Amino acid sequence: MMNHIPQGKYRPYPKIDLPNRQWPDNTITKAPRWCSVDLRDGNQALINPMDMQKKLELFRLLLKLGFKEIEVGFPSASKIEYDFLRRLVDDNLIPDDVTVQVLVQAREHLIAKTFDALRGVKKATVHLYNSTSVAQRKIVFSKSQEEIIALALEGVDLVKKYEANHNGEIYLEYSPESFTGTELEFAATISNAVTARWGISDNRKVIINLPATVEMATPNIYADQIEWMCRNLDNRENVIISTHTHNDRGTSIAATELAILAGADRVEGTLLSNGERTGNVDIITLALNMTSQGIDTGLDFSDVNEVVAVVEKVTELPTHPRHPYVGELVYTAFSGSHQDAINKGLAYQQAKEEPFWEVPYLPIDPADVGRTYESIIRINSQSGKGGVAYILEKNYGYHLPKAMHPEIGRAVQALSDAEGRVLESEEILKVFKDNYFNIKEHITFKDVSLTSDNGNSKCTLSYLHNGKEITSQGEGNGPIDACKDALMKEYENNFSVKSYSEHSCGNKSSAKAVAYIEIQSEKVLSCFGVGADNDITVASIKALFCALNRAFN
């Protein structure tokens, strides 16, 4: 019997009173300020937190990707957090244009320890936070709104106290933690109190971080909350509104994008969404979403394979194969109709001069993030003929005529059905060669000599037929026609040539000619043959013999 959720256990999140909301009509036109919290928020969520070497490797990756703001830890919380920041300072690993960020609670001994760790840092953001939500005030702290504000202001005063003796620039970030569970009026009141106590001005801007510490409602609600705060924060022009969304409802990406529409200036997140519970917002997905809209994000994700490799190594967490943009399978099509559309789209893209990306099913060019085209189409029992042709062309240089696609497609699908799995490209090539090059022969090409006069070709053709060597002459309006004429002097199977195509295959210096011939007869509606040789005429005749052996064996 199905269990029912008790009535009244959950309640809908209340709507935000926001007359004339503006964000639904806005468009994202520029990237926000990015802040990676992988080394702090991400690290605290790991089964095995990072050691020094892993932290350093991840920090180097974040710099390489272009992050200018990096939360490096909670130096007052543990020795490894403290030692890591000191290592960055002592080894001069922080570039001059990068601001490191440190998290701290509003307690003097923790703030003192934090500033001790910051000795020698030229630019740092001190991220001060305390919980403000109704649930936290009622259940965890048993404090009134006034007491919560007093705690935040005590923290600001302490940061100002230690800032006075720090030889470098200090910026303040304040987070009303669990913002999404906090009354908006109270969130604005405490944030305004913090910025006023800090002494906000043109030269002393403050980051107000509004975290969806727990994602509690649909993304449009978060956007409403951000726009409401934009309207109700004092000195808005000097406040940098930051988002920090978690993924409890699975909509952190959408919530962050709508928050940017609503006026957010800055985004905190992690690579590949690592973070507490269901994770933080994934900055890779956010940034590449913007890239797909023509926005320069300032971050370099041109080699996502390296990013995935480093993050998986330091976090010991796997990446889902369907993770947007970076998963192993996200640029892969198994469906026949998808494969056909992608194949045509790539050919169209290559042929046109205008660079605008117009390939069906691929929102961005995989090459832009360091992925190759080899993995775009993979063959299983659901795949179509176009996918097989794509693999043979892209991986091995065989440009199969379109009419031939169903023939080779059926042969490959038969193997995939029998194996019950995805086929490797080498296996597809083997099916192709087994069906067109390594076939049982009842008639075998040996040699040919050709002459041509005013478009008329004459040939002397040598071949084996059922163990008998035959040499005969023929003529026609081309080499293939002349060869057919020679064959029909003794060959018993009547046929006609339905189609012919050819191309070179391989590097220019060692290219082979490849020919495709389609024949038909009273018994065989269509059968293709393939031939390859250094000489295109010989390749064509080999293709004809291949077709005869396949059609009449």
Side-chain angles (χ1 to χ4, degrees):
M1 184 175 178
M2 183 177 178
N3 291 325
H4 294 283
I5 297 172
Q7 188 174 4
K9 187 171 185 178
Y10 301 105
R11 298 175 184 172
Y13 198 95
K15 290 178 64 176
I16 308 301
D17 183 16
L18 188 66
N20 193 30
R21 55 179 54 81
Q22 299 298 304
W23 65 262
D25 292 327
N26 292 340
T27 301
I28 298 175
T29 57
K30 66 176 183 178
R33 285 171 49 173
W34 303 107
C35 178
S36 159
V37 294
D38 293 85
L39 287 160
R40 201 279 307 167
D41 209 352
N43 187 50
Q44 77 172 18
L46 298 176
I47 297 171
N48 299 310
M50 289 178 263
D51 59 20
M52 181 67 74
Q53 291 309 310
K54 287 181 176 179
K55 283 175 174 283
L56 290 169
E57 185 172 4
L58 182 54
F59 184 75
R60 285 192 289 268
L61 175 67
L62 294 170
L63 294 180
K64 184 177 179 180
L65 296 176
F67 283 94
K68 301 303 180 185
E69 297 180 58
I70 302 173
E71 190 165 81
V72 294
F74 200 149
S76 62
S78 68
K79 186 175 186 301
I80 180 66
E81 298 282 285
Y82 179 93
D83 290 346
F84 174 59
L85 178 50
R86 292 312 310 158
R87 177 73 175 271
L88 295 179
V89 176
D90 294 340
D91 289 1
N92 197 30
L93 299 178
I94 306 171
D96 290 344
D97 63 344
V98 171
T99 301
V100 294
Q101 182 169 302
V102 289
L103 190 70
V104 67
Q105 293 168 315
R107 299 167 67 184
E108 182 159 14
H109 71 285
L110 299 179
I111 291 173
K113 184 77 171 178
T114 298
F115 272 89
D116 183 55
L118 285 170
R119 281 179 293 110
V121 174
K122 296 175 183 176
K123 292 193 297 183
T125 296
V126 176
H127 183 183
L128 186 71
Y129 77 99
N130 63 317
S131 294
T132 59
S133 70
V134 175
Q136 293 271 12
R137 297 196 317 261
K138 179 175 68 173
I139 299 168
V140 180
F141 299 109
S142 298
K143 289 184 180 294
S144 66
Q145 290 187 358
E146 291 72 21
E147 290 173 308
I148 294 293
I149 292 173
L151 181 64
L153 295 180
E154 180 184 355
V156 174
D157 290 341
L158 289 169
V159 172
K160 289 176 70 174
K161 172 185 173 181
Y162 287 92
E163 175 203 19
N165 297 315
H166 179 77
N167 186 21
E169 295 181 74
I170 294 293
Y171 310 101
L172 179 69
E173 174 176 347
Y174 174 70
S175 289
E177 194 202 1
S178 298
F179 164 73
T180 48
T182 304
E183 309 93 321
L184 283 174
E185 293 79 3
F186 180 52
T189 297
I190 194 169
S191 297
N192 286 332
V194 164
T195 58
R197 184 65 66 92
W198 180 251
I200 191 170
S201 68
D202 288 344
N203 299 318
R204 199 167 166 79
K205 298 181 185 294
V206 177
I207 299 169
I208 295 296
N209 189 49
L210 302 173
T213 311
V214 179
E215 193 176 33
M216 303 173 72
T218 51
N220 61 299
I221 296 292
Y222 188 60
D224 280 350
Q225 292 171 320
I226 297 298
E227 184 169 332
W228 191 97
M229 291 292 286
C230 287
R231 297 182 186 184
N232 289 275
L233 287 177
D234 298 338
N235 298 289
R236 172 63 183 98
E237 68 279 8
N238 296 318
V239 174
I240 298 154
I241 292 183
S242 178
T243 66
H244 181 118
T245 58
H246 284 251
N247 202 39
D248 302 270
R249 292 172 54 91
T251 57
S252 61
I253 295 290
T256 303
E257 290 180 329
L258 297 191
I260 295 171
L261 294 176
D265 308 296
R266 181 177 182 268
V267 168
E268 293 187 350
T270 60
L271 302 176
L272 301 179
S273 198
N274 176 44
E276 289 284 17
R277 307 180 312 279
T278 54
N280 288 46
V281 70
D282 176 26
I283 286 183
I284 300 177
T285 301
L286 270 173
L288 290 175
N289 281 354
M290 293 181 192
T291 297
S292 75
Q293 304 303 302
I295 297 171
D296 181 2
T297 66
L299 298 176
D300 181 5
F301 289 115
S302 60
D303 187 356
V304 294
N305 291 332
E306 179 192 19
V307 177
V308 170
V310 172
V311 174
E312 288 186 341
K313 176 183 176 182
V314 301
T315 63
E316 301 177 24
L317 294 173
T319 302
H320 196 284
R322 300 293 183 189
H323 193 105
Y325 297 109
V326 304
E328 181 185 356
L329 298 178
V330 296
Y331 301 108
T332 299
F334 293 99
S335 158
S337 61
H338 287 213
Q339 291 174 347
D340 183 59
I342 290 171
N343 194 6
K344 290 174 180 174
L346 290 171
Y348 173 77
Q349 190 72 26
Q350 190 173 19
K352 67 177 183 148
E353 295 183 4
E354 202 267 328
F356 177 62
W357 183 251
E358 295 182 272
V359 177
Y361 298 111
L362 296 178
I364 67 168
D365 185 346
D368 289 341
V369 292
R371 288 293 178 85
T372 66
Y373 290 112
E374 293 179 8
S375 63
I376 290 178
I377 289 175
R378 295 173 68 178
I379 304 303
N380 66 9
S381 62
Q382 304 301 306
S383 303
K385 55 190 183 296
V388 174
Y390 176 90
I391 296 288
L392 291 171
E393 179 177 342
K394 292 299 180 183
N395 291 14
Y396 304 108
Y398 291 103
H399 301 268
L400 275 59
K402 186 171 180 58
M404 185 179 169
H405 292 186
E407 191 175 280
I408 183 62
R410 286 190 295 270
V412 171
Q413 191 173 49
L415 176 61
S416 182
D417 280 336
E419 294 290 329
R421 60 175 173 83
V422 172
L423 298 182
E424 300 296 331
S425 60
E426 294 85 357
E427 294 176 292
I428 295 167
L429 178 64
K430 185 176 186 302
V431 172
F432 175 67
K433 288 190 171 181
D434 286 348
N435 275 269
Y436 296 97
F437 291 101
N438 306 321
I439 57 176
K440 182 181 178 181
E441 295 182 336
H442 70 276
I443 182 168
T444 303
F445 170 73
K446 298 293 290 182
D447 196 14
V448 68
S449 62
L450 284 156
T451 60
S452 181
D453 183 25
N454 293 325
N456 187 57
S457 295
K458 295 182 179 180
C459 80
T460 300
L461 178 67
S462 297
Y463 61 96
L464 287 173
H465 182 34
N466 294 328
K468 177 184 175 183
E469 185 163 347
I470 300 170
T471 300
S472 61
Q473 284 77 39
E475 60 181 283
N477 58 10
I480 296 172
D481 196 37
C483 181
K484 182 194 173 192
D485 183 55
L487 264 174
M488 298 316 294
K489 300 290 174 60
E490 295 197 34
Y491 190 59
E492 69 277 10
N493 296 309
N494 193 25
F495 68 93
S496 62
V497 175
K498 190 175 181 181
S499 68
Y500 169 79
S501 62
E502 64 183 50
H503 65 81
S504 61
C505 183
N507 297 325
K508 290 183 179 179
S509 60
S510 59
K512 277 193 172 186
V514 179
Y516 308 89
I517 283 183
E518 181 187 14
I519 65 171
Q520 63 180 7
S521 69
E522 290 182 1
K523 296 181 180 180
V524 180
L525 182 63
S526 172
C527 184
F528 274 89
V530 183
D533 196 88
N534 293 327
D535 184 292
I536 184 56
T537 300
V538 175
S540 302
I541 296 170
K542 285 182 176 180
L544 177 60
F545 274 74
C546 172
L548 294 174
N549 280 305
R550 297 185 70 249
F552 300 114
N553 255 337

